[in-house]
Amino acid sequence: MRLSRFPLHTTKETPADAEVVSHQLMLRAGYIRKLGAGLYTWLPIGLRVLHKIEAIIREEMNRAGAVEVLMPSVHPAELWQESGRWQQMGEEMLRFKDRHQNDFAYGPTHEEVICHHFRQDFRSYRQLPVNFYQIQTKFRDERRPRFGVMRAREFIMKDAYSFHMDREDLAREYENMRQTYARIFTRLGVDFRIVQADSGNIGGSQSEEFHILAGSGEDLLAVSDSGSYAANVEAAACLPPQTPRPAPTQALEKVATPGQRTCEQVAKFLNVPLTGKVKLLVVKGADGGLVALALRGDHQLNEIKAAKHPLVASPLTFAAPEEVQRVFGCEVGYLGPVRCPIPVIADHAAAAIADFVCGANENDHHLRGVNWGRDCREPQVADLRMIVEGDPSPDGVGRIKFYRGIEGGHIFQLGRKYSAAMHLSVLDDKGQAVVPEMGCYGIGVTRLAAAVIEQSHDAAGMIWPDAIAPFRVILCPIGMDKSETVRVAVETLYAELVAAGVDVLLDDRGQRPGVMFADADLIGIPHRIVIGDKGLAQQQYEYKHRRAGKPEMIPATTAAVLEKLGT
RNA sequence: CGGGGUGUAGCUCAGCUUGGUAGAGCGCUUGCUUCGGGAGCAAGAGGUCGUAGGUUCGAAUCCUGUCACCCCGACCA
């Protein structure tokens, strides 16, 4: 490609409303332009990256035996009503009516649609297993789109849906996809981790996320410092304390704590460590009443764990302050398990401390020297808290360290949640109707491009891995319009590289060297060849890898260039 | 959804408090010079100041509505 014929619009200034590096660089390098909140156009150079990512995904999905389809982005409401998600999805799903006043949604995901097609054509176990995938545009009306294409509303996703006669076969395909994803992420050249995940509102049992490690990542990952354990903090189990609860040593005592509401305030006011305080959170119970969750003062509630507890309503709903006032007779800052009017579920860690401080269920008062069993009932104990750094790894190997990650892929064993709701049925080898098991597997294609930049850039711009660079090599001729020698040399090299099948960009704009170099660095082309009279006089080109500090001279031959490209 | 903020040239922004002929830098066009890390000089083109209404002799500026966009929050008592 000749740069004189290729629209590339770079800018020196960093756009004001871009926070993360990838967003800034994509705007500055002319990869994307914003159309509206969470809506981005991919300009020619950016689209080349996207296509290369898609090509790798296609190759690996095909290799893994999946088959490509393309489903509509607009879905009739009936399908979503059938699965029940028309009601469940909420504001995130964009809905609208057609000219006949029929309801439609812009698809945020495609379980319903693929299930519909499956039941049209699949009758027999002989046709299974099958794994359909597509690379397609989705729309999710995020409450707050941000970080450019990293959390956009419209985005491109590779989604796949597999169907199986039994769980064993689903587990086999899940593992197949797991390995396929690992190959895809490896080929993309990113540093990634596979972590245990919560399956969220998509449902299902086993689920793992593929995270690209990056400081700007939105997700927090709990990773063992010496073992193989890795999980999204949302899904990380916490081990119960190893040591038994100490025996009580203090007497129960009520103390005035005027105006001290938060755990931090109370701990400081009474000069006790935060770890010696128990806090109570009041949520709606599964039976419609209220339930209190007890946590150690320094711990945070893991809402997902709490919502899964049989006594707790799902989704987790906090009691309104007025409701707490009515039931406890005090404000929320002074709650405690002693003479608590509602059932208490305590986190393992909170249940394991003695002589603790907690609210007195009376405004401006707390209790100290409180002990489970002696001063209040022994609580039900459960794992309710967020894991923290330094905790023992849940698999018993090593301690937990936190990393930030960008979720680039997510694989699920859905089971029969959708296949049952959508009334799928195939006959097995005994002629019995069976509801197939489903798996689903997603990769955020547009997000991956941003994630790679987050992980691979420097002060001058992006640094693309060869596999997905918009161009592998850029040719920068110095004084092309002045020197016939340079012009002939660069045109020859360009033609031969094109003939060799190399994605080559020729900067024939006639710009000054500084402009050419700055643009080449900004758009992140991995290899750069400079052709000038000085070098040619020595029969040499100048070669520089985007990551290298200094250029080197190589023989002025196409073969030498191809060798540098590793082709 | 709650709170805060911003809409002025293609881009980044100033001007608004205190109403009086629309500004800068970057980019763009032309010419000359320059030519190995975002050149210099000169001359130009380019804006119904988001939008609707109000106040006023007069509104980018003050007031009201509205739309768009951005930020923070939306569990942790």
Side-chain angles (χ1 to χ4, degrees):
Chain A
M1 183 62 68
R2 291 170 185 274
L3 205 37
S4 62
R5 307 294 312 150
F6 188 78
L8 175 71
H9 304 285
T10 58
T11 160
K12 270 187 281 195
E13 282 166 306
T14 302
D17 53 5
E19 289 182 282
V20 294
V21 179
S22 60
H23 190 198
Q24 293 170 355
L25 289 177
M26 287 173 103
L27 289 168
R28 279 191 57 205
Y31 276 57
I32 58 170
R33 289 289 179 253
K34 185 168 84 169
L35 183 63
L39 303 173
Y40 291 88
T41 292
W42 286 80
L43 296 177
I45 192 165
L47 190 59
R48 290 181 68 95
V49 171
L50 222 46
H51 283 334
K52 291 197 175 186
I53 295 173
E54 290 176 358
I56 289 175
I57 292 172
R58 277 203 175 86
E59 254 179 67
E60 293 298 339
M61 289 301 289
N62 292 342
R63 187 218 297 258
V67 286
E68 187 168 5
V69 293
L70 184 58
M71 294 177 261
S73 55
V74 172
H75 303 178
E78 290 85 67
L79 284 178
W80 288 80
Q81 285 158 349
E82 190 174 345
S83 72
R85 287 208 288 183
W86 184 257
Q87 280 75 29
Q88 287 169 24
M89 284 296 280
E91 299 282 300
E92 195 177 272
M93 188 156 75
L94 176 63
R95 300 154 207 251
F96 44 86
K97 290 179 189 291
D98 69 1
R99 63 167 70 196
H100 307 296
Q101 299 303 304
N102 291 324
D103 285 313
F104 286 85
Y106 198 111
T109 177
H110 280 68
E111 282 83 8
E112 282 79 359
V113 177
I114 195 71
C115 281
H116 177 71
H117 291 308
F118 181 91
R119 69 188 172 191
Q120 288 178 317
D121 294 327
F122 286 76
R123 298 282 140 66
S124 159
Y125 72 96
R126 294 173 192 272
Q127 295 167 297
L128 297 192
V130 64
N131 187 349
F132 291 110
Y133 78 95
Q134 64 173 348
I135 295 177
Q136 201 248 19
T137 301
K138 306 250 188 282
F139 188 94
R140 294 182 188 170
D141 201 352
E142 296 280 346
R143 40 164 63 147
R144 180 136 94 91
R146 55 182 138 180
F147 306 144
V149 298
M150 202 112 83
R151 180 166 291 284
R153 294 197 293 177
E154 185 175 303
F155 57 98
I156 297 174
M157 184 172 175
K158 189 286 302 177
D159 48 330
Y161 307 90
S162 68
F163 298 86
H164 310 273
M165 290 305 289
D166 52 46
R167 287 189 184 181
E168 290 65 39
D169 196 52
L170 168 60
R172 176 204 52 73
E173 182 66 7
Y174 178 88
E175 182 57 27
N176 180 27
M177 283 295 110
R178 191 176 190 273
Q179 287 174 15
T180 299
Y181 274 34
R183 267 201 301 273
I184 290 169
F185 280 70
T186 301
R187 284 185 62 182
L188 291 175
V190 292
D191 186 12
F192 70 98
R193 290 290 160 81
I194 305 175
V195 307
Q196 283 296 322
D198 180 75
S199 46
N201 49 14
I202 294 193
S205 49
Q206 169 68 349
S207 158
E208 285 165 297
E209 292 167 348
F210 286 67
H211 278 266
I212 291 110
L213 299 182
S216 57
E218 289 191 272
D219 287 287
L220 202 55
L221 312 178
V223 180
S224 166
D225 61 3
S226 53
S228 59
Y229 182 85
N232 194 308
V233 286
E234 293 178 345
C238 299
L239 293 177
Q242 297 303 300
T243 50
R245 181 199 299 160
T249 63
Q250 300 175 9
L252 183 66
E253 177 194 5
K254 182 155 91 175
V255 289
T257 51
Q260 312 296 311
R261 293 158 197 275
T262 68
C263 285
E264 288 76 13
Q265 288 170 343
V266 172
K268 197 173 171 197
F269 186 80
L270 296 179
N271 196 26
V272 295
L274 207 47
T275 52
K277 168 118 181 13
V278 166
K279 63 181 171 187
L280 226 53
L281 283 66
V282 182
V283 300
K284 294 233 158 61
D287 60 359
L290 295 180
V291 177
L293 307 176
L295 291 171
R296 214 170 71 185
D298 59 320
H299 286 152
Q300 299 188 341
L301 179 68
N302 182 321
E303 285 193 35
I304 292 168
K305 291 178 184 174
K308 284 179 180 165
H309 193 281
L311 293 184
V312 175
S314 179
L316 193 73
T317 313
F318 280 80
E322 308 79 58
E323 211 172 349
V324 172
Q325 177 77 40
R326 185 165 49 79
V327 174
F328 282 81
C330 70
E331 292 173 29
V332 290
Y334 303 98
L335 304 182
V338 179
R339 284 187 299 279
C340 178
I342 56 176
V344 176
I345 310 167
D347 177 68
H348 288 296
I353 57 175
D355 300 329
F356 59 84
V357 171
C358 65
N361 295 331
E362 176 183 338
N363 279 352
D364 298 326
H365 288 83
H366 279 76
L367 301 175
R368 68 196 309 170
V370 185
N371 285 277
W372 300 106
R374 188 192 71 183
D375 306 318
C376 60
R377 253 183 301 171
E378 284 288 349
Q380 247 200 73
V381 178
D383 177 13
L384 295 176
R385 69 178 175 94
M386 283 285 191
I387 201 163
V388 295
E389 276 196 301
D391 274 349
S393 177
D395 66 353
V397 185
R399 298 207 162 265
I400 289 302
K401 196 168 162 17
F402 280 178
Y403 292 89
R404 291 214 153 262
I406 299 163
E407 184 187 343
H410 201 156
I411 56 178
F412 301 84
Q413 292 186 27
L414 291 176
R416 293 175 172 159
K417 179 173 174 178
Y418 297 97
S419 48
M422 299 299 292
H423 309 101
L424 306 195
S425 153
V426 293
L427 295 181
D428 67 12
D429 58 357
K430 296 180 191 64
Q432 298 293 311
V434 170
V435 177
E437 299 278 338
M438 279 182 75
C440 85
Y441 321 93
I443 291 181
V445 178
T446 37
R447 175 183 286 184
L448 273 181
V452 172
I453 296 169
E454 286 294 326
Q455 211 173 61
S456 182
H457 66 269
D458 63 14
M462 308 170 177
I463 305 176
W464 288 106
D466 277 40
I468 55 173
F471 297 95
R472 288 189 64 206
V473 57
I474 183 166
L475 308 182
C476 300
I478 306 291
M480 188 186 185
D481 42 3
K482 291 277 168 53
S483 165
E484 182 67 7
T485 321
V486 169
R487 199 188 63 77
V488 169
V490 76
E491 286 289 357
T492 305
L493 176 60
Y494 175 68
E496 291 181 4
L497 288 176
V498 169
V502 176
D503 265 332
V504 52
L505 184 61
L506 168 59
D507 192 346
D508 58 347
R509 295 175 298 177
Q511 287 288 355
R512 308 159 60 80
V515 175
M516 284 195 283
F517 297 158
D519 274 345
D521 287 348
L522 179 59
I523 64 179
I525 310 299
H527 306 277
R528 187 185 80 188
I529 306 288
V530 178
I531 299 102
D533 277 319
K534 266 188 283 181
L536 289 176
Q538 312 293 317
Q539 299 293 305
Q540 287 180 325
Y541 296 148
E542 176 188 301
Y543 168 82
K544 181 179 172 301
H545 189 272
R546 179 66 179 78
R547 286 191 188 280
K550 285 200 156 82
E552 58 179 297
M553 301 309 291
I554 62 170
T557 65
T558 302
V561 173
L562 287 174
E563 194 186 318
K564 276 295 169 191
L565 298 183
T567 308

